[in-house]
Amino acid sequence: MVRGIRRPRSNGMLPLLALHTFSEYYRLDRKPPITAGLIAANSLIYLHPDFLDPILPSIEEVWFNPHLILKYGDLKRFFLSPFFHAGESHLVYNMLSLLWKGIPLESSMDSAEFASMVAVLLGMSQGMSLLISKSLLMFFDYDWSFYSEYSVGFSGVLFAMKVVLNSQTENSYVYGIPIPSHYAVWAELAFAQMLVPGVSFVGHLSGILAGLVYVWLRGSYNGSDPLTAIFRGVFGVLKWPLRFLQRWFPRRQVSGRGPVGWSQRGMSVSGFWRCHACTYENSAWLDVCELCSTNRRGDGYGSGMGSPRSPHYSGHLTLEELRRRRLERFSR
């Protein structure tokens, strides 16, 4: 989240973002759609093509400003400011961060739950910014620069996502430095303030607090929240035409010299095999799943070419354990 500054000229970073995003998604078996959609939406809003002029406001109309939001009830600034960026470098840095955080998070849950989480974190981080700015003004008479600050950007939500991601791993990295997960987001906040001029301290701090509240609420509540149920219903409606087309026009996957499938010996023609326990795609040279240690043949014994099987593996991993292992693998 960056404070109000003039929008710089394009310097060709967006094609690099597109290339990196394509490269990351190409190697994934499951393509997280919400993460890709958010990156595309933020990029499209930044480019502001002519055909969106009738419905898309200018950046001057959506700067997040606590004074204007609270005085005039300007909800457009509250909800839209995270999707606007002050410059190309600002956009690309945030979208790369979204790519690295969104893929492991969305891969560890279904897309409806991930979409629900992002929506909740956005609303909570924006609300925290209003609360902190107004409190500083009321109790400390501190008007500059928080209450009158102009800011835009997705980084408040990204800090909240970082908290959620760190809550499921033991260690994290901040600018290449290994740090315990409980302290990593605070270290990243300090580094951002020192290394990047013009960032919004309150916006980033609000994202961290929103993430902490979300993790606490999810830990004290079992089951699917109502917002996730709504997103699942919407996704079900959107998928119906695709299911209809797939039923009438089945697609054969082909790769190079023939259809992608399984040989009689159980080796994938594409060079991978899918674990029956956790669905992770493993190299065809391995006999034991790298993620959950399940044997390829399902008999509990691996060969010398595979990874050693854990002596404490019971054969039935819980959903939370699978999520934890996937997140640890993505964070390597």
Side-chain angles (χ1 to χ4, degrees):
M1 188 170 284
V2 174
R3 290 178 292 177
I5 55 176
R6 291 182 63 86
R7 180 168 168 172
R9 294 182 178 181
S10 173
N11 54 14
M13 296 179 67
L14 275 174
L16 296 178
L17 170 64
L19 180 63
H20 187 74
T21 303
F22 175 81
S23 175
E24 288 292 318
Y25 269 74
Y26 180 77
R27 67 182 181 83
L28 295 175
D29 179 53
R30 176 185 176 239
K31 322 294 184 186
I34 304 302
T35 299
L38 287 172
I39 294 174
N42 278 271
S43 301
L44 190 64
I45 289 172
Y46 174 78
L47 293 173
H48 204 122
D50 293 339
F51 69 88
L52 289 180
D53 280 341
I55 60 174
L56 197 62
S58 66
I59 192 171
E60 289 77 13
E61 298 176 87
V62 298
W63 287 107
F64 184 89
N65 181 276
H67 170 69
L68 296 178
I69 293 174
L70 293 176
K71 183 176 181 179
Y72 300 106
D74 194 348
L75 296 181
K76 179 170 58 179
R77 296 179 183 271
F78 184 91
F79 288 109
L80 295 184
S81 57
F83 300 99
F84 285 73
H85 290 81
E88 191 174 23
S89 60
H90 183 209
L91 170 72
V92 170
Y93 181 85
N94 276 356
M95 293 304 99
L96 287 175
S97 181
L98 174 59
L99 183 69
W100 296 329
K101 296 176 176 67
I103 287 179
L105 279 173
E106 190 172 354
S107 298
S108 70
M109 57 184 76
D110 62 50
S111 294
E113 185 179 356
F114 178 75
S116 171
M117 181 196 73
V118 172
V120 170
L121 292 178
L122 188 150
M124 290 176 62
S125 62
Q126 296 290 82
M128 291 281 186
S129 293
L130 291 181
L131 180 62
I132 293 174
S133 302
K134 186 65 175 180
S135 299
L136 289 172
L137 178 67
M138 291 178 59
F139 298 111
F140 301 99
D141 196 26
Y142 192 81
D143 184 20
W144 191 91
S145 63
F146 300 135
Y147 190 65
S148 301
E149 180 180 80
Y150 287 84
S151 60
V152 287
F154 208 71
S155 53
V157 182
L158 294 173
F159 268 89
M161 291 172 63
K162 180 74 172 179
V163 173
V164 178
L165 187 61
N166 287 348
S167 69
Q168 303 180 51
T169 58
E170 296 182 358
N171 295 291
S172 183
Y173 289 85
V174 178
Y175 297 101
I177 303 173
I179 296 177
S181 294
H182 292 299
Y183 307 106
V185 70
W186 299 105
E188 189 169 339
L189 174 65
F191 275 117
Q193 294 303 128
M194 292 187 296
L195 301 178
V196 185
V199 298
S200 173
F201 173 76
V202 169
H204 293 173
L205 176 63
S206 300
I208 294 175
L209 297 178
L212 292 173
V213 172
Y214 179 86
V215 170
W216 177 76
L217 290 175
R218 288 297 298 169
S220 59
Y221 175 78
N222 293 323
S224 177
D225 60 274
L227 189 58
T228 299
I230 293 175
F231 275 109
R232 285 202 178 105
V234 172
F235 292 162
V237 173
L238 295 177
K239 288 180 179 178
W240 185 86
L242 296 177
R243 291 171 181 168
F244 177 81
L245 292 175
Q246 289 174 353
R247 180 180 302 175
W248 287 96
F249 303 100
R251 184 182 65 178
R252 280 184 76 198
Q253 291 184 332
V254 294
S255 174
R257 301 179 180 176
V260 176
W262 300 84
S263 67
Q264 293 180 352
R265 296 176 60 187
M267 180 174 291
S268 169
V269 175
S270 61
F272 296 91
W273 62 276
R274 176 174 293 180
C275 174
H276 69 274
C278 69
T279 71
Y280 183 76
E281 294 284 348
N282 296 275
S283 169
W285 295 103
L286 298 176
D287 286 336
V288 177
C289 177
E290 287 189 283
L291 182 62
C292 69
S293 301
T294 300
N295 184 262
R296 180 174 179 176
R297 298 184 299 275
D299 57 9
Y301 299 96
S303 71
M305 295 180 64
S307 303
R309 182 179 174 87
S310 170
H312 303 292
Y313 176 63
S314 64
H316 298 283
L317 292 175
T318 64
L319 180 59
E320 290 301 320
E321 177 66 13
L322 283 175
R323 286 182 176 181
R324 185 186 67 80
R325 295 192 180 194
R326 283 178 177 172
L327 287 168
E328 285 182 350
R329 180 158 185 84
F330 272 107
S331 63
R332 291 176 184 175

